Amino acid sequence: MRIEDWELLAGTRAFTADLAFDGLEVVFVRSQIAHGSLAGVDVGEAEGQPGVAAVYTADTLGLGPFVHFGTLDEGQARHPLAADRVRHVGEAVAMVVAESVAQAQDAAELVVVETDPLDPIVDPGGALDAEPIYPESGSNLVFTTALSPKSDTADEHHTTAASSVVVEVDVRNNRVASAPMEPDAIIVRPTTSGGLDIWCTSQGVHEIRDELARGLGLEPSRIRVRSPAVGGGFGGRASLPIEFVAVAKAAIELGRPVRHVQSRWENLTSMVAGRDTHSRVKLGLGTDGSIHSLSVDMVVDAGSTAHMSGLLMVSMMRQATGLYRIPNLHWNSVAALTNTTPVGAYRGAGQPEANHARERIIDVAARRLGIDPIGLRRRNLLRSDELPHTAPGGVHYDVADPHRALEAALDLVDLGRWRDEQSLRRAANNSNAIGVGVACYAQTSGRGSPVDSARVTITSDGRALVQCGSASHGQGHLTTMTSLVADALGLGPEDVDFVDSDSDAVPQALTTGGSRATQVLGTALANATDDVLDMARHIAATMLEASADDIVVSPADESGPAGLSVAGVPARRVSWADIAQRGTNRCIQALRSDAAAGEAHPYGTHASVVEVDLETGLVRLLAHAAVDDCGVVLQPELVEGQQHGGSVAGIGQALWENLGYDAEGTPQNAYFATYGLPSAAEVPFVSTSTLCTPTDRNRLGTKGIGENGCNGATAAVHNAVCDALAHLGIEHIDLPLTPESIWQAIRSGSA
């Protein structure tokens, strides 16, 4: 691993707030109620305070509404500052710009926001019959998806009736926060040429550039966007925060650099949240445990703005049956607006929700049939020789061995030991109950064969410069991408310079997300490296008076520096510096904007062991194993890091994390003091292992790894807790599995 990848941990890497800055500071005045009509915003007293340069409202900012967050309905276009009404606690209403943060905060306290309260909508099910929070839209319904088998006799009634057993359970996938290390932050500097030079948190600087240009009415070419250390995005930074438009407009209006750095409260009440689905799940089975059908009726909470609901719901439907032999899928889902923080992508973007619902109903069905949950999975998982396989939701899985992943996870977690311990404790009426849970997941990475860009340049000093599209926000792109180039050109990693997170580096690029960087960006980078090598071979062939077909890469050794040589005669070589100086402008350069051949399908199994205190409801995680197949592993340390990070995120959702709201739409966990972000003290060491079934969907044979943990861990922990309580007759408890909710279930004798 390159030393730069450790800079975040060492505290030597600069976040946005750490960058040198001499300019104006922004503080937003945010709504304290969830829903109301704006009767007026009085900024008069605030404007006269010391150090205040300007105070803006929607009326004075001078920007019209625009369709934001991927919203399809023009009736939901938003102003950067709330104009007619507020729709969730934390929505920006006014913006104070001052010489210091303290002065801006003092002035912000003097802004008077007059609001006529409206009935808040918190329940997405009830939202469908409530008054629309965007009157112009006419409804709070924002998206629907539906799927039934094509056969006329295969509707839900017929397929469930054909099953000997039909099992139903309500499954809630709770709302969680991305919770990056640094909240959203932006610095905007006007340039002498009339453009904007911007540093900000993001998952993709080109997306930020283009959305800012659209919101401000500027040409994208006039805006340069860069990101320093980001400290994670996890999907919450996949789109432009609308407040960034207001900050940029203030910099233009005032002609000075302007900065805004969120507080943690602002981050937890305004940054796009994740998950939040409510499902009625049915499973039809034969008496032998063979699954005939899966039926899901789901309501998705979209929050106050339709963000990516359509994409998320399609992802859920596609992944509903996973790598199981389930012939019939009935799917119906709706997304509704509520007066809560907008909901969008979060690590897995819809797929963890689908995997969680399926894995819970399989456990419930197994207990009702008197079958071991692991045995039921063995009965219904596809065998490797049954792939390729097209699932009812439309996913075409290429290669996988789900049985191998299941058995590997059971071995890794030491299933036999814990089952024995569970039996001993139950026999002794021990109040510390053991539970074991597994979850088999599948997901899609690189969906839609998106295009990314990469440029490789050999400079006159013989070094390689890599300029990438997709931006790293903690995944270790520097190590992975520079190693790809170094290995291909015979250079050491220290001989490769790396630039990403800069909209001027390449003309267009993807936002990093969807576990696609290695397979999509890696493909473009490998192709650009091939182009450079091809040009260099022809130059070297001329210099060495040989055929280009006989020119090979030669790393630095006793025969000379790294470069190209004649095959079989390593001493007949020319260095990369000599070759570059023969190229155009004394360099050799190639830019590629390519797509991988298709989406890939990582999969795996997670197994978890918990101890539940039956007196208090407290859960202690004893062991967790993650077995993931991400195809060819290019950087084992980075893959293992993603396995740990994804697993902890999934575990956190199951046990501690929850962005809850009361009946008035007030956030209940808007600070880290109450939002249960897990630390090393709560999570045991995660045992990891990888399988490798290379895909032919990209030239590197890789599949995604960044989101795998969230797909498996949440359901595995959930199943483990319910397994610990099964002997008490408790079948299901909704997430998060807090001591209170478990204690209540134990005391009532049912969930």
Side-chain angles (χ1 to χ4, degrees), residues 156 161 195 233 250 254 259 293 308 390 457 498 503 512 515 530 554 590 596 606 634 644 669-670 673 714:
E156 182 175 0
L254 300 172
R259 176 172 69 177
S293 66
M308 300 171 67
T390 300
T457 305
F498 180 79
S503 63
T512 299
S515 298
D530 283 351
S554 292
H606 282 229
L634 301 181
H644 281 268
N669 302 306
T714 303

Side-chain angles (χ1 to χ4, degrees), residues 551-565:
I551 300 299
V552 297
V553 173
S554 292
D557 56 24
E558 64 277 3
S559 298
L564 300 180
S565 67

